[in-house]
C-alpha cells in the first residue's frame, strides 16, 4: 500500500537495538554467510534473556534516545491527505465475533511466555517471535489449536447465520474450561488488531 514518506520512522526498543547490533557483528564476522532469520532470532532472544541490567544498559540508552527523536519528529508531523492507511470500519456490536485462527489460539497460550522473555520488546517484535515459535511447532502440537480454530469457526458460522436472518446474536456463555478460552479469545481480538497495526508500521519503515 502507498505510504506517507514524510512520516517519522517508528521508534526502536532496547531489544531491537540489541538485535541490530547482533546482526552487524555477525555480518562483520561472516560476511558471506546467509543468515537463517528464525534461527538467528531464537539465538538473539536466548542471549537477551541471560544478559544482566548492566549489559542491557547501553541498549536502553539507545532506545531512550530514539524515543525522544521519534516524539520530537511526531510533534511536528502532519499526515498527508493521502497517507494510504485504511480506515477501520465501525463494528456492529450485534455481529458475531470473528473466529480465531489456529495461530491466534496458539498466541493466546504462548504470548505471556514470549512477553516474559522479551520485557522491552514492542508489540510487533513479540508478534514476530510468536510467528517464529509457531513455525517451529510440530504438526501434533499444532493439531490442538487447529481443533480449537475449527470449533470456533463452526460457532461463528452458526452465529452469523442467525445474525443475518434475525439481527443480534448473543452467544451462550461457555462452561468449564471453555469459559476461560472464550475470555482469552475475546481479549485477543484487541491484541490481534494491535499487532496487525504494529506489523503494518514495521513494514512501512522497512
Amino acid at each position: 500500500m502507498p505510504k506517507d514518506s514524510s512520516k517519522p520512522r517508528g521508534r526502536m526498543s532496547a531489544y531491537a537495538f540489541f538485535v541490530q547490533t547482533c546482526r552487524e557483528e555477525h555480518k562483520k564476522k561472516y560476511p558471506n554467510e546467509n543468515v537463517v532469520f528464525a534461527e538467528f532470532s531464537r539465538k538473539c532472544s536466548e542471549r537477551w534473556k541471560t544478559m544482566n541490567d548492566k549489559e542491557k544498559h547501553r541498549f536502553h540508552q539507545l532506545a531512550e534516545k530514539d524515543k525522544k527523536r521519534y516524539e520530537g519528529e511526531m510533534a511536528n508531523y502532519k499526515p498527508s491527505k493521502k497517507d494510504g492507511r485504511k480506515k477501520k470500519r465501525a463494528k456492529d456490536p450485534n455481529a458475531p465475533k470473528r473466529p480465531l485462527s489456529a495461530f491466534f489460539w496458539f498466541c493466546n497460550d504462548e504470548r505471556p511466555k514470549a512477553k516474559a522473555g522479551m520485557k522491552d520488546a514492542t508489540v510487533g517484535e513479540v508478534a514476530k517471535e510468536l510467528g517464529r515459535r509457531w513455525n517451529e511447532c510440530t504438526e501434533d502440537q499444532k493439531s490442538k489449536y487447529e481443533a480449537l480454530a475449527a470449533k470456533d469457526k463452526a460457532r461463528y458460522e452458526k452465529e452469523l447465520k442467525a445474525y443475518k436472518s434475525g439481527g443480534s446474536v448473543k452467544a451462550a456463555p461457555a462452561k468449564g474450561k471453555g469459559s476461560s478460552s472464550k475470555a482469552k479469545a475475546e481479549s485477543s481480538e484487541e491484541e490481534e488488531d494491535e499487532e496487525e497495526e504494529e506489523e503494518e508500521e514495521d513494514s512501512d519503515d522497512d
Side-chain angles (χ1 to χ4, degrees):
M1 74 173 64
K3 65 179 180 179
D4 185 354
S5 58
S6 64
K7 184 177 180 180
R9 176 176 54 82
R11 65 187 180 90
M12 289 173 63
S13 67
Y15 179 71
F17 274 109
F18 167 71
V19 172
Q20 184 183 70
T21 301
C22 288
R23 281 179 184 162
E24 290 168 357
E25 289 176 353
H26 189 275
K27 199 169 183 179
K28 284 180 183 177
K29 287 183 180 179
Y30 312 100
N32 300 317
E33 184 177 302
N34 290 324
V35 177
V36 179
F37 180 77
E39 180 66 16
F40 183 78
S41 177
R42 182 182 65 78
K43 287 180 179 178
C44 285
S45 178
E46 290 174 354
R47 185 176 166 189
W48 179 258
K49 289 176 190 176
T50 62
M51 291 168 64
N52 57 40
D53 291 340
K54 187 177 179 180
E55 291 171 320
K56 292 180 180 179
H57 181 65
R58 70 183 178 110
F59 301 110
H60 284 293
Q61 284 185 316
L62 288 169
E64 189 60 32
K65 184 179 177 181
D66 196 47
K67 180 183 176 183
K68 289 177 181 177
R69 184 271 312 163
Y70 176 73
E71 288 173 348
E73 290 178 3
M74 283 300 290
N76 300 315
Y77 167 66
K78 291 182 180 179
S80 63
K81 291 181 181 178
K82 297 179 181 178
D83 67 355
R85 191 169 287 279
K86 293 183 290 185
K87 290 184 179 179
K88 284 190 176 181
R89 289 180 297 175
K91 289 183 179 179
D92 182 352
N94 295 320
K97 290 190 179 293
R98 60 181 174 176
L100 295 180
S101 66
F103 172 64
F104 275 102
W105 281 105
F106 167 78
C107 288
N108 287 338
D109 282 348
E110 201 68 20
R111 187 180 287 110
K113 301 173 193 174
K115 283 183 176 179
M118 302 169 65
K119 292 180 181 179
D120 302 300
T122 64
V123 173
E125 288 162 356
V126 172
K128 287 175 183 176
E129 172 63 15
L130 288 169
R132 181 191 68 76
R133 294 187 185 193
W134 173 252
N135 289 332
E136 290 184 353
C137 284
T138 63
E139 290 304 313
D140 187 51
Q141 289 170 322
K142 287 182 179 180
S143 64
K144 168 188 171 183
Y145 302 104
E146 285 165 354
L148 287 169
K151 185 178 179 181
D152 198 34
K153 184 180 178 182
R155 182 272 312 163
Y156 174 74
E157 288 174 349
K158 182 180 178 182
E159 291 181 3
L160 184 63
K161 187 177 180 180
Y163 170 71
K164 285 182 176 180
S165 62
S168 65
V169 172
K170 287 186 179 179
K175 297 178 182 179
K177 291 183 180 179
S179 60
S180 173
S181 296
K182 182 71 175 176
K184 287 167 79 178
E186 289 175 353
S187 66
S188 73
E189 279 206 9
E190 291 181 10
E191 293 204 32
E192 176 184 346
D193 289 341
E194 264 188 61
E195 286 172 6
E196 285 174 354
E197 287 176 8
E198 187 74 23
E199 286 175 345
E200 276 186 18
E201 287 192 8
D202 287 346
S203 64
D204 284 351
D205 294 335
D206 288 344

